[in-house]
Amino acid sequence: MLPLIPVFVSFFLIQFNVDGLVSFLEAYGNQIKKIDFTHSTKSDKLLSALSVSCCPELRLLEINTKIDGRYCQLPICIQALQIGCPKLQTFGLMNVTPVPKMIRNTPSSTSGFPMLEELCIATSSHSFMTDNDLNNVLHGSPHLRVLDLRGGSRITATGLCALPCERLECLYWGLYFNINTMVASKKGIHMLAHKWSSTLRELDLANQPFSEEDMEIAMGHLADGGGVNLFCSLNLSGTNITSSVGKDVLVPFLMFHRLLIRQSSCWYLLKGLKRVYHGQGDIQLLLDKLD
């Protein structure tokens, strides 16, 4: 009889004999559904094991490292991982940036992650991930609900709009570092707002340099979308949102649901209005000040 194996495994690789761990996964990995580990120089061996179907039932894979502002790369052959973990639903890389890696005899295209619902590739610094890199991960993920790309300055709105996921609920795309000229595109947010206007519940665009006109059109799409009653969080800190647009978009939200909206650091808002607003009563005070 096989020993009872926990469905969730969390560990620091530096504290393990990686070869022994790989042997364990080769023997019992088909019983494991969740793996969470801290990135180290030994991560490559574990990813290689996952890529050859050691854990075919895996539903969650999260790799993280400490947030210290340093750029942390992790070579990954996404195609091999898609073949080895076809049932993955949650894939998280916290402060870790994937770098494409080629593995011999691995096909250049796969069916992707057909069951993926959540993807997090967030970093406190900038990420060199491109539209093409993101498409390699998500081209076969129509059921994606949560997409966290914080720090993804080279991702464009056009690239996001081309993804197959039609019912995205949460998009986190804030830039939390000195962006300068590192942003790949400064236009197109209105396309995303139109595509996901009926499904979005949370949106973070902090410090994204979209134009005033682009933001106005985007907020109009969100305000008119059928999913406005679902919205619960909107972060417009550091954007080019204006007072008039802010009022137009807040009124529909106020009618239906509680809303957390951050407009601090917005260039076109008066200094006294730049703070966090919680709930309908607080938002009504903001609307009164915008009159």
Side-chain angles (χ1 to χ4, degrees), residues 96-112:
V96 177
T97 299
V99 177
K101 173 185 176 182
M102 297 301 297
I103 295 181
R104 176 183 276 181
N105 298 325
T106 300
S108 58
S109 63
T110 70
S111 58

Side-chain angles (χ1 to χ4, degrees), residues 49-68:
L50 296 177
S51 298
V52 293
S53 301
C54 280
C55 300
E57 299 297 320
L58 199 66
R59 301 296 199 276
L60 178 148
L61 175 61
E62 292 188 350
I63 308 170
N64 60 73
T65 189
K66 60 182 180 180
I67 300 178
D68 54 11

Side-chain angles (χ1 to χ4, degrees), residues 82-181:
Q82 289 168 336
I83 295 172
C85 304
K87 298 183 180 180
L88 203 63
Q89 296 175 334
T90 299
F91 186 19
L93 298 174
M94 294 298 296
N95 224 40
V96 177
T97 299
V99 177
K101 173 185 176 182
M102 297 301 297
I103 295 181
R104 176 183 276 181
N105 298 325
T106 300
S108 58
S109 63
T110 70
S111 58
F113 293 115
M115 299 175 62
L116 197 66
E117 296 182 3
E118 299 183 23
L119 175 67
C120 173
I121 305 181
T123 173
S124 57
S125 61
H126 64 277
S127 169
F128 288 104
M129 191 172 196
T130 65
D131 289 342
N132 185 58
D133 296 330
L134 186 62
N135 183 67
N136 285 338
V137 180
L138 294 176
H139 68 86
S141 305
H143 305 298
L144 194 75
R145 297 183 300 102
V146 179
L147 181 56
D148 189 344
L149 296 173
R150 286 172 292 176
S153 60
R154 295 195 174 189
I155 302 296
T156 69
T158 301
L160 288 176
C161 199
L163 295 176
C165 40
E166 298 294 335
R167 300 194 60 80
L168 197 71
E169 297 176 9
C170 303
L171 175 61
Y172 308 106
W173 197 17
L175 303 179
Y176 295 93
F177 56 91
N178 186 8
I179 60 175
N180 293 324
T181 59

